[in-house]
C-alpha cells in the first residue's frame, strides 16, 4: 500500500510539472492603500490542489478496481440482499483485492522508478516515465483492440503503428470502456443462477395462487443457501483475480 501512495505521488508530480511555470510564486503579497497587505494565491497552487483531489480517482480507473467493484455490486443485486454487504464492505474488499491483483505492477513501478528516484539515481521525469510503463502494459493487456480503435478513430489518431505508441489520453478511456464490458459480461453470468431461482419460486407461488406473497421473500433463503453451498465468495473472488491473468 505504501508503494501505491508513493506511485500516486509520482503521478501527481508529473501533473504538477506539466502545469507549473518557472518563476510563478505560490503566493504574492501586494501592498494595499493605508499600509496594509493583501495575499493572493497563484493559479498554480489551485491547479495543484485540484489535481491532488482528482488523482486517486484517476489512478483507480487505471487499475483493476473498476471491474471488481462492478461485479461485486451486480452480485449483491443478484442476491437481492438490499444493502448487505454494505457499500463500505464492498469498497474495502474491492480496494484490497485491487492491491492484490495489481501488486506485480506496483512492484515493477517500485523497482524501476520509485526506488531509483528515492536513491537519487534518476530524475523525476525519468521516474515518471518508468512508472508509467508497468501501468501501460497492464492496461494494454486488458483492453480490447476494438476499444482502442474506437477512441483512435474519435480522436483522429488512426495511424498508430503499434500498441506501444498508444498515448495515455487514448489508452485510459479505452481501458475503462473495456473493463466495463468485461464486468457486465461477468455480472451477467453471475446473475443467471439467481434469476432462475427467482423464476422458479415465482412460478410455484403463482400455481399455488399465492399472489400476495412476494417471491423475493421466498427465493432469498434459497439463493443464500446456494451461494453458501458453492462457497460463492471464494469462487467469485478467485475468478475475478484469475480474470486479469
Amino acid at each position: 500500500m505504501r508503494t501505491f501512495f508513493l506511485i500516486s505521488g509520482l503521478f501527481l508530480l508529473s501533473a504538477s510539472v506539466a502545469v507549473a511555470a518557472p518563476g510563478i510564486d505560490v503566493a504574492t503579497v501586494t501592498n494595499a492603500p493605508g499600509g496594509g497587505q493583501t495575499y493572493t494565491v497563484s493559479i498554480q497552487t489551485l491547479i495543484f490542489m485540484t489535481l491532488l483531489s482528482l488523482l486517486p480517482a484517476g489512478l483507480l480507473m487505471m487499475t483493476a478496481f473498476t471491474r471488481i467493484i462492478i461485479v461485486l455490486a451486480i452480485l449483491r443485486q443478484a442476491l437481492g440482499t438490499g444493502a448487505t454487504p454494505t457499500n463500505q464492505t464492498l469498497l474495502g474488499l474491492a480496494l484490497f483485492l485491487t492491491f492484490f491483483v495489481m501488486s506485480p505492477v506496483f512492484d515493477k513501478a517500485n523497482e524501476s522508478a520509485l526506488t531509483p528516484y528515492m536513491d537519487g539515481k534518476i530524475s523525476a521525469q525519468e521516474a515518471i516515465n518508468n512508472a508509467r510503463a508497468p501501468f501501460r502494459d497492464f492496461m494494454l493487456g486488458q483492453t480490447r483492440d476494438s476499444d482502442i480503435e474506437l477512441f483512435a478513430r474519435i480522436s483522429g489518431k488512426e495511424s498508430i503503428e503499434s500498441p506501444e505508441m498508444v498515448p495515455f489520453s487514448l489508452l485510459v478511456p479505452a481501458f475503462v470502456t473495456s473493463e466495463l464490458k468485461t464486468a457486465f459480461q461477468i455480472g451477467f453470468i453471475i446473475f443467471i443462477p439467481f434469476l432462475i431461482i427467482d423464476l422458479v419460486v415465482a412460478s410455484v407461488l403463482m400455481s399455488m395462487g399465492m399472489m400476495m406473497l412476494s417471491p423475493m421473500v421466498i427465493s432469498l433463503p434459497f439463493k443464500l443457501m446456494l451461494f453458501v453451498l458453492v462457497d460463492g465468495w471464494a469462487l467469485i473472488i478467485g475468478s475475478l483475480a484469475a480474470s486479469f491473468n
Side-chain angles (χ1 to χ4, degrees):
M1 188 177 296
R2 174 179 173 271
T3 303
F4 175 78
F5 288 114
L6 291 176
I7 293 173
S8 302
L10 279 177
F11 277 96
L12 181 60
L13 178 62
S14 68
S16 62
V17 169
V19 301
I24 299 179
D25 298 327
V26 174
T28 57
V29 181
T30 305
N31 293 325
Q37 291 180 332
T38 58
Y39 298 87
T40 304
V41 179
S42 69
I43 190 65
Q44 176 185 351
T45 305
L46 296 178
I47 295 176
F48 181 83
M49 297 304 295
T50 302
L51 292 174
L52 181 63
S53 63
L54 296 177
L55 181 68
L59 275 179
L60 288 178
M61 300 302 286
M62 297 163 54
T63 62
F65 182 81
T66 302
R67 183 189 304 185
I68 295 172
I69 191 62
I70 291 176
V71 171
L72 293 178
I74 293 177
L75 171 63
R76 183 175 66 178
Q77 184 70 24
L79 285 171
T81 55
T84 305
T86 62
N87 291 332
Q88 291 82 355
T89 303
L90 291 184
L91 286 172
L93 177 60
L95 189 60
F96 280 95
L97 187 57
T98 300
F99 287 139
F100 173 77
V101 172
M102 298 293 297
S103 58
V105 178
F106 293 152
D107 291 341
K108 290 180 181 178
N110 182 42
E111 294 173 1
S112 62
L114 189 59
T115 300
Y117 175 72
M118 298 296 290
D119 294 339
K121 297 179 180 179
I122 59 176
S123 64
Q125 189 60 46
E126 291 175 333
I128 293 166
N129 294 332
N130 292 344
R132 286 177 178 175
F135 286 90
R136 173 186 292 276
D137 294 339
F138 172 79
M139 288 190 289
L140 283 174
Q142 303 298 324
T143 306
R144 295 175 174 83
D145 294 338
S146 59
D147 293 323
I148 296 179
E149 293 173 358
L150 169 65
F151 284 95
R153 186 171 61 254
I154 294 174
S155 62
K157 300 177 181 179
E158 300 184 35
S159 59
I160 299 176
E161 298 178 357
S162 63
E164 290 74 17
M165 300 299 294
V166 178
F168 248 72
S169 59
L170 190 152
L171 179 59
V172 173
F175 169 73
V176 174
T177 303
S178 187
E179 285 294 281
L180 290 174
K181 291 181 181 179
T182 304
F184 276 91
Q185 289 174 352
I186 298 174
F188 172 76
I189 296 173
I190 293 173
F191 218 107
I192 291 177
F194 302 108
L195 180 61
I196 292 175
I197 293 177
D198 287 334
L199 291 175
V200 170
V201 171
S203 300
V204 171
L205 291 178
M206 289 186 64
S207 64
M208 296 175 62
M210 303 175 68
M211 304 294 184
M212 302 302 294
L213 182 61
S214 174
M216 295 296 296
V217 177
I218 306 300
S219 64
L220 179 58
F222 289 100
K223 290 191 287 187
L224 292 178
M225 181 180 65
L226 172 65
F227 194 68
V228 171
L229 288 177
V230 300
D231 197 7
W233 285 114
L235 185 62
I236 295 296
I237 292 176
S239 300
L240 273 174
S243 66
F244 290 96
N245 293 332

